[in-house]
Amino acid sequence: MPSINQVRPLAFSGRHVRAEIATDVKGLPLPGRTIVVNLDTTPAFLANEPRTPIPALSSTIAVGATLEQAAAVVLLRADADRSAAGIIDEPGWQHFSDIAGETVFPRSTSLFRSPQAGAGVARLDPAALLGAAQPAGRERTFAIRLMLWFSAAGTDCGIHNRHDFIETHAQILGYGRMQKFTEPDTVSLYEDILMSPGYATPVPFCATGPDDTFVYPWHQYRADTDCVWLAVEYHLTD
């Protein structure tokens, strides 16, 4: 049987945001203010009564609490006294144009990414997770990848509609929004989801498509203030 309360730091853990992954949790104390992001499809629970779930892919802020039960969670403790913008000076951070290429993403847009971190695998039925009217009833294996992003206040981070994975986001520092559009133009906005520290988008934006693809609307992240957020990606492996 796996050992309980396996906790390890993630590759992007640093001075601004201490980031860990905890698996097979049973009665794990969480000192201070901790953003808890549930990576699993089963609910997590704090120890306080009455017990209410931290649902799949969602999050909460625990304050001096004990995490009673969880299969896999990210634990994030942010230093609110530091300027969020300083995080991009930590090791491994890159402007997104250096990752995607300047022909794909403009260097003039303030968007920076941390190193990626693997977070194990998850077995899930993607159709059921994404709310399909007729779930496939077949579980698949997904590799979980995590990373932090930073964007400066007032930045539209780029409208796009293509990913070959399922993604969700959790806000860590600052205030922003996840937005959906009918066209690749901000005037076609039709959904505006406010993101404050500790909030995750528990319902991914995509639906299942043909041949193991995922169909996304046009969408983007917009930073209202200097922002740091967590991206969680589920990559199909089988």
Side-chain angles (χ1 to χ4, degrees):
M1 293 185 61
S3 300
I4 65 170
N5 295 343
Q6 295 295 297
V7 181
R8 63 175 174 86
L10 294 166
F12 47 76
S13 185
R15 298 183 306 276
H16 289 75
V17 177
R18 179 182 172 187
E20 299 171 313
I21 182 170
T23 56
D24 300 305
V25 172
K26 299 289 183 183
L28 179 66
L30 302 176
R33 293 178 66 87
T34 304
I35 298 172
V36 181
V37 182
N38 187 0
L39 300 178
D40 200 67
T41 56
T42 60
F45 293 91
L46 298 179
N48 302 75
E49 296 290 344
R51 291 209 319 167
T52 55
I54 306 169
L57 312 191
S58 68
S59 65
T60 193
I61 300 176
V63 184
T66 295
L67 188 59
E68 181 63 24
Q69 177 184 324
V73 291
V74 181
L75 305 176
L76 302 144
R77 299 179 180 93
D79 187 346
D81 293 331
R82 293 180 181 269
S83 167
I87 199 169
I88 65 175
D89 295 323
E90 293 189 9
W93 279 79
Q94 296 176 277
H95 193 280
F96 190 53
S97 66
D98 293 328
I99 299 169
E102 291 191 41
T103 58
V104 176
F105 192 85
R107 185 167 291 276
S108 58
T109 299
S110 172
L111 183 62
F112 298 81
R113 199 190 78 181
S114 77
Q116 289 188 335
V121 299
R123 290 284 295 173
L124 58 91
D125 176 353
L129 180 71
L130 300 174
Q134 296 181 328
R138 177 191 173 195
E139 287 193 342
R140 310 290 299 275
T141 301
F142 289 78
I144 306 172
R145 299 179 191 171
L146 309 172
M147 66 214 72
L148 299 182
W149 294 86
F150 168 82
S151 191
T155 301
D156 289 312
C157 293
I159 300 174
H160 55 290
N161 70 345
R162 293 183 181 275
H163 294 299
D164 59 0
F165 48 81
I166 299 170
E167 70 170 357
T168 62
H169 301 85
Q171 191 77 7
I172 303 172
L173 289 167
Y175 295 84
R177 54 192 74 213
M178 290 296 300
Q179 300 179 317
K180 298 180 187 178
F181 307 87
T182 57
E183 303 289 340
D185 191 309
T186 56
V187 300
S188 68
L189 175 71
Y190 72 89
E191 190 170 354
D192 200 21
I193 301 170
L194 300 181
M195 304 284 289
S196 61
Y199 177 76
T201 50
V203 180
F205 283 5
C206 59
T208 53
D211 301 322
D212 293 329
T213 60
F214 302 104
V215 180
Y216 280 82
W218 293 104
H219 66 284
Q220 75 162 358
Y221 185 93
R222 175 174 170 78
D224 293 335
T225 67
D226 286 359
C227 285
V228 177
W229 66 97
L230 173 75
V232 183
E233 299 177 353
Y234 296 82
H235 293 256
L236 187 62
T237 62
D238 66 6

